[in-house]
Amino acid sequence: MNDKHILVVEDEAITRAKLVGYFQHAGYRVSEAENKSQMMVVLENHHIDLVMLDINLPDEDGLMITRNLRSHSNIGIVLVTGRTDSIDKIIGLEMGADDYVTKPFELRELLVRVKNILWRISLTEQKSVIATENEEDDDLFHFGQCSFDIPKRKLLKNNIPIKLTKAEYDILVAFVANPSRVLSRDRLLNLIEHRVDAPNDRTIDVLVRRLRHKIEDNPKDPQIFTTIHGEGYLFAADIT
């Protein structure tokens, strides 16, 4: 049996029951809620690994709930909605959702998406535990030709020190902490806005371009900091 705990937040009873039953059958622990109020009660009383969240809830818009959840938690978030406008998908991902599924959806496809998100979260948690247990290598990461010591704020490429500004350091920490995960400009902005005067979306693009020039072998064909059009940036390097 899977030890992961999923919360289904859906005000439509039939859809909610279908999701709860399907994921329970797949071996997950599943809780349910029909609105934000019930959702908060579940979150306060249980450790939840992933939330399947309907955008159209009666007491608060699911996009705003996503933004609030992401501001203080790394919980997996999958938006499930009947809205078909692509702008809603973009906004949802920018708010911090990990994935977006439009009704009607194929349950098997949704299961695969959920498994992939939980797998990525588990990898991040495992790396955190390993770093804590190995004090000598605590927060020392290797990717490509680089080594990055977070506490010492030290970046080396081919054993040559690479100088980083405070904002560049902050955004690199965010990428290394979220490998193979799309980070929206809005989320990255929240991590560095206290370091930069009058930050905006353009600030993120400038910082990513600077990191590419300092780290990538070919900044014009980036292999580490890749652009996901309409969503944000992905740190694609393998971390050891």
Side-chain angles (χ1 to χ4, degrees):
M1 294 293 286
N2 200 310
D3 62 350
K4 299 300 182 182
H5 195 167
I6 294 173
L7 172 58
V8 176
V9 186
E10 166 67 62
D11 64 328
E12 187 180 82
I14 294 177
T15 301
R16 187 172 68 251
K18 182 188 298 185
L19 288 169
V20 170
Y22 187 82
F23 278 87
Q24 284 179 335
H25 182 72
Y28 292 93
R29 293 178 59 201
V30 185
S31 294
E32 59 182 288
E34 61 178 307
N35 52 44
K36 181 192 175 184
S37 298
Q38 291 183 7
M39 179 193 79
M40 295 308 297
V41 172
V42 176
L43 290 175
E44 288 170 4
N45 290 281
H46 300 276
H47 172 76
I48 301 297
D49 298 287
L50 181 141
V51 177
M52 272 184 279
L53 177 64
D54 182 28
I55 287 183
N56 297 312
L57 294 177
D59 51 353
E60 186 168 343
D61 184 80
L63 294 176
M64 294 309 299
I65 294 175
T66 298
R67 184 170 188 173
N68 292 333
L69 280 176
R70 185 56 72 222
S71 67
H72 61 80
S73 171
N74 287 324
I75 190 172
I77 302 174
V78 178
L79 294 178
V80 182
T81 178
R83 299 182 188 178
T84 57
D85 195 335
S86 61
I87 190 66
D88 288 319
K89 178 178 180 179
I90 293 171
I91 293 174
L93 294 171
E94 287 182 343
M95 291 292 189
D98 295 284
D99 210 339
Y100 187 108
V101 179
T102 304
K103 300 175 184 176
F105 48 81
E106 169 60 48
L107 285 171
R108 290 180 63 186
E109 178 186 350
L110 181 57
L111 176 61
V112 171
R113 290 173 181 266
V114 166
K115 284 182 176 179
N116 286 338
I117 293 169
L118 291 172
W119 176 73
R120 291 199 301 267
I121 293 173
S122 294
L123 281 183
T124 301
E125 291 174 347
Q126 288 171 16
K127 287 182 181 295
S128 177
V129 170
I130 291 171
T132 300
E133 292 176 346
N134 296 279
E135 295 183 0
E136 293 183 358
D137 294 327
D138 188 25
D139 290 326
L140 176 63
F141 297 89
H142 299 273
F143 55 91
Q145 299 170 328
C146 296
S147 64
F148 184 38
D149 190 322
I150 291 179
K152 295 180 180 179
R153 295 175 173 263
K154 187 176 182 181
L155 175 67
L156 300 178
K157 181 178 180 181
N158 294 321
N159 292 320
I160 300 174
I162 304 295
K163 186 175 181 180
L164 296 174
T165 66
K166 289 182 178 180
E168 290 168 353
Y169 166 82
D170 284 345
I171 200 171
L172 182 56
V173 170
F175 279 123
V176 170
N178 295 276
S180 301
R181 184 173 184 176
V182 178
L183 297 177
S184 69
R185 289 175 176 82
D186 183 62
R187 188 172 179 195
L188 289 167
L189 199 59
N190 288 335
L191 296 173
I192 59 93
E193 61 184 357
H194 64 293
R195 303 285 192 182
V196 182
D197 294 331
N200 52 48
D201 285 357
R202 180 62 177 164
T203 304
I204 298 301
D205 295 334
V206 170
L207 290 173
V208 170
R209 185 167 66 248
R210 288 180 186 172
L211 288 179
R212 284 172 172 168
H213 279 279
K214 292 182 177 184
I215 295 175
E216 299 274 7
D217 290 332
N218 181 3
K220 293 183 179 180
D221 182 26
Q223 301 299 308
I224 296 176
F225 305 97
T226 61
T227 301
I228 307 299
H229 295 290
E231 298 183 27
Y233 292 102
L234 173 74
F235 187 76
D238 291 328
I239 296 179
T240 58

